């Protein structure tokens, strides 16, 4: 792995009934999201309900670590309209505020 590649980070987080969550600061640091908006790739699966499938999606995460799981993904995960604990594996793809998507100045 090169120095500019972001690691894949596993974590669990409560998602509210609207699909909103905040990635904790320590996980954002591990993902190398350093106060800039980033595109992050997620594998997500509810902690309860072993029959639930894992969903892969990419989503913008703002500089405060906030994101919303899209409605169609919440429906596929069978979590629409309820507060649920979700297991994630996340990897930063790129920053969104750089013209070149770069990880440096």
């Amino acid at each position: 792995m090169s120095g500019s590649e972001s690691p894949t980070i596993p974590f669990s987080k409560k998602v509210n009934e609207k699909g909103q969550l905040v990635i904790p600061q320590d996980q954002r640091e591990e993902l190398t999201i350093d106060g800039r908006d980033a595109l992050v790739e997620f594998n997500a699966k509810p902690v309860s309900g072993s029959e639930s499938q894992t969903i892969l999606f990419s989503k913008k995460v703002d500089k405060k670590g906030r994101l919303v799981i899209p409605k169609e993904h919440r429906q596929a995960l069978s979590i629409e309209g309820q507060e649920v604990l979700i297991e994630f594996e996340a990897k930063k793809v790129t920053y969104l505020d750089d013209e070149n998507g770069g990880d440096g100045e």
Side-chain angles (χ1 to χ4, degrees):
M1 176 163 83
S2 73
S4 66
E5 259 187 71
S6 177
T8 299
I9 304 299
F11 65 97
S12 296
K13 187 71 180 163
K14 189 182 336 180
V15 176
N16 73 14
E17 63 278 352
K18 295 179 182 177
Q20 301 167 329
L21 70 134
V22 177
I23 300 173
Q25 178 65 37
D26 55 338
Q27 274 91 15
R28 292 196 312 266
E29 289 172 1
E30 287 185 61
L31 287 167
T32 67
I33 300 173
D34 62 357
R36 296 187 277 172
D37 292 349
L39 181 65
V40 178
E41 187 174 275
F42 294 94
N43 280 311
K45 180 178 180 173
V47 170
S48 62
S50 58
E51 70 281 351
S52 297
Q53 63 182 25
T54 299
I55 299 292
L56 174 66
F57 65 97
S58 296
K59 187 70 177 156
K60 173 188 169 188
V61 176
D62 75 8
K63 58 188 91 182
K64 294 182 179 180
R66 299 176 295 197
L67 72 131
V68 177
I69 298 173
K71 184 174 186 171
E72 61 272 11
H73 297 316
R74 295 192 314 266
Q75 290 171 341
L77 289 166
S78 301
I79 64 168
E80 179 66 18
Q82 54 186 319
E83 196 169 276
V84 187
L85 185 62
I86 302 288
E87 292 177 346
F88 292 96
E89 285 188 357
K91 181 176 181 174
K92 183 190 74 185
V93 176
T94 189
Y95 288 112
L96 297 175
D97 56 354
D98 288 342
E99 282 184 22
N100 62 2
D103 293 324
E105 298 296 316

